[in-house]
Amino acid sequence: MGVNDSLYSPDYPSSRARFREAARAAGARLHSIPLSARGPQGEDLTIDVAWLGAERPRAVTLHCSGTHGVEGFCGAPIQLQALGRAPNPPADGAVIFAHGLNPYGMAHVRRVNEENVDLNRNFLLPGEAYQGAPEAYAEFDPLLNPPTPPGLDLFAPKMLLLLAKHGMPMLKQVIVGGQYDFPKGLFYGGARLQEGPRLWGEWVRAHLSGVEQLVCVDIHSGLGPFGEDTLLVEAELGSALFDRLRDTFGARVTPWNPNDGVAYSIRGGYPSWLPAQLPEARVDFITQEFGTTIPLRTLYAMREENRLHHWGEPTPAHEVKQRFRESFCPSSPAWRGAVLRRGAELLSQAMGLAFNDGPRP
Ligand SMILES: [Zn+2]
């Protein structure tokens, strides 16, 4: 086990304990938001926050992980590494780390929360309805979400046929764009705002409402080439904002758009919700997405895990869970090292953008 490997935790309780310990050692203030859901052994679940710097900051770098539960196993090590280096914001600034925005998913080795909700489809804004699905999702539902325990079937060839028929951009958009009509299905956005996002929103508004400038980095995994990160931003290709973000963060910056690169557009996403909670602030939101394997294999792992959860006997140690986890946080030392390196680079660039910039248009 190398130095890099040692920052990776085997389960949620140890990841949380290490995060809290590293926060204390770095002199950070700790906040803990308790949720009513429980871990597989009945453990408490909390959204833990480590806060370094001013209590009422003007500028903030907010680093979030585990919006998609299991993906927190790749985000938390970046945070542990950063806390170990004790980042030093300016007098009117703060660096804030949020460990495990979906602690249920991390504890149970799921992407979704206790109501099968994909939190990055749940952050709808006032006036948006928790209903609807892409028209073609119903056509894919029997293949994506069979009501049976995991087992061998003809998923891959059937999926390849659909791919040939519809094309990748359309298929991606239909399947992963988000749906609100199939509660046991993949990429389900929920029937209401979930407890975690609701409490997180209250916390954000209570603690960050005076902030003028905020740069948020949200760590994800499972999309894109192995060991490489894509930086997804809320800006159109060719816009001034897009050019500015590309100047700051480099060529990996990509818009949320099914036709340009690996991404797709989503409803109910955290990136468009966060700025709406802080209308006085200038918010730049970067989703740092680490690639792990080919999309079909990731989708298959998600499908099998979902079948196990709804129709089988799930435990975090089940082999389906282990393969699922491997699809979002590979054990390869090269992959893990790349995540820590790029995670540190982006955090440092984000702090530069939040703290060093003068007034911007
Ligand atoms: Zn994700």
Side-chain angles (χ1 to χ4, degrees):
M1 194 183 266
V3 170
N4 288 337
D5 234 23
S6 66
L7 291 170
Y8 286 76
S9 299
D11 52 33
Y12 169 74
S14 58
S15 182
R16 179 175 72 165
R18 295 174 77 191
F19 176 82
R20 290 179 175 192
E21 183 47 42
R24 275 187 213 102
R29 290 187 296 286
L30 262 175
H31 297 232
S32 241
I33 305 169
L35 304 186
S36 44
R38 288 287 170 269
Q41 311 293 333
E43 309 96 314
D44 290 344
L45 299 175
T46 49
I47 299 172
D48 293 281
V49 181
W51 183 309
L52 283 149
E55 234 165 285
R56 284 284 160 192
R58 187 192 62 80
V60 165
T61 303
L62 174 64
H63 192 276
C64 300
S65 156
T67 307
H68 281 146
V70 64
E71 298 171 21
F73 289 111
C74 118
I78 298 172
Q79 299 181 336
L80 266 190
Q81 172 180 251
L83 284 165
R85 295 171 181 175
N88 194 14
D92 63 351
V95 182
I96 301 170
F97 298 95
H99 172 266
L101 285 186
N102 169 14
Y104 174 94
M106 215 173 156
H108 289 262
V109 193
R110 301 212 76 200
R111 234 175 127 265
V112 292
N113 80 343
E114 59 278 11
E115 295 190 8
N116 196 49
V117 173
D118 179 331
L119 296 192
N120 223 19
R121 312 290 181 273
N122 185 246
F123 286 102
L124 292 176
L125 297 170
E128 292 185 289
Y130 284 91
Q131 49 185 254
E135 216 172 295
Y137 191 96
E139 185 191 337
F140 298 135
D141 177 55
L143 178 60
L144 281 181
N145 309 309
T148 49
L152 287 179
D153 54 15
L154 297 173
F155 174 73
K158 286 179 184 165
M159 205 64 209
L160 289 169
L161 276 178
L162 285 171
L163 188 62
K165 179 177 163 197
H166 294 282
M168 190 59 158
M170 192 277 198
L171 197 66
K172 238 181 352 185
Q173 193 54 51
V174 166
I175 295 176
V176 307
Q179 56 85 10
Y180 301 85
D181 293 347
F182 301 85
K184 288 190 163 69
L186 296 177
F187 306 101
Y188 174 58
R192 61 187 158 269
L193 185 66
Q194 294 294 289
E195 185 188 46
R198 178 171 59 76
L199 295 175
W200 180 236
E202 287 170 10
W203 188 92
V204 163
R205 292 189 296 272
H207 293 89
L208 303 179
S209 52
V211 171
E212 291 170 26
Q213 187 153 299
L214 183 139
V215 179
C216 181
V217 174
D218 193 29
I219 303 294
H220 287 258
S221 62
L223 195 67
F226 182 86
E228 287 181 26
D229 58 324
T230 306
L231 308 176
L232 299 164
V233 297
E234 299 278 297
E236 298 291 330
L237 269 184
S239 67
L241 175 61
F242 184 84
D243 290 346
R244 191 172 58 76
L245 291 171
R246 194 165 259 198
D247 284 347
T248 306
F249 296 110
R252 295 176 188 210
V253 169
T254 304
W256 284 97
N257 179 332
N259 298 313
D260 299 312
V262 300
Y264 43 81
S265 46
I266 54 173
R267 273 186 78 200
Y270 184 30
S272 42
W273 173 90
L274 184 67
Q277 309 312 304
L278 304 168
E280 308 293 309
R282 157 161 210 142
V283 178
D284 290 308
F285 196 110
I286 302 114
T287 296
Q288 187 173 29
E289 175 74 63
F290 288 97
T292 54
T293 181
I294 56 170
L296 193 61
R297 196 173 290 159
T298 309
L299 186 62
Y300 182 71
M302 290 175 63
R303 172 195 193 249
E304 294 304 279
E305 190 280 329
N306 198 47
R307 292 171 89 183
L308 178 71
H309 179 81
H310 293 295
W311 311 103
E313 288 170 22
T315 62
H318 195 287
E319 59 174 345
V320 164
K321 291 282 191 184
Q322 295 307 313
R323 277 199 295 272
F324 176 74
R325 192 188 151 120
E326 187 70 19
S327 298
F328 291 95
C329 185
S331 46
S332 147
W335 188 87
R336 293 184 165 197
V339 165
L340 288 169
R341 198 163 53 248
R342 280 293 301 157
E345 269 173 28
L346 184 73
L347 175 59
S348 147
Q349 288 167 334
M351 288 173 63
L353 182 63
F355 303 139
N356 298 337
D357 267 20
R360 281 181 286 160

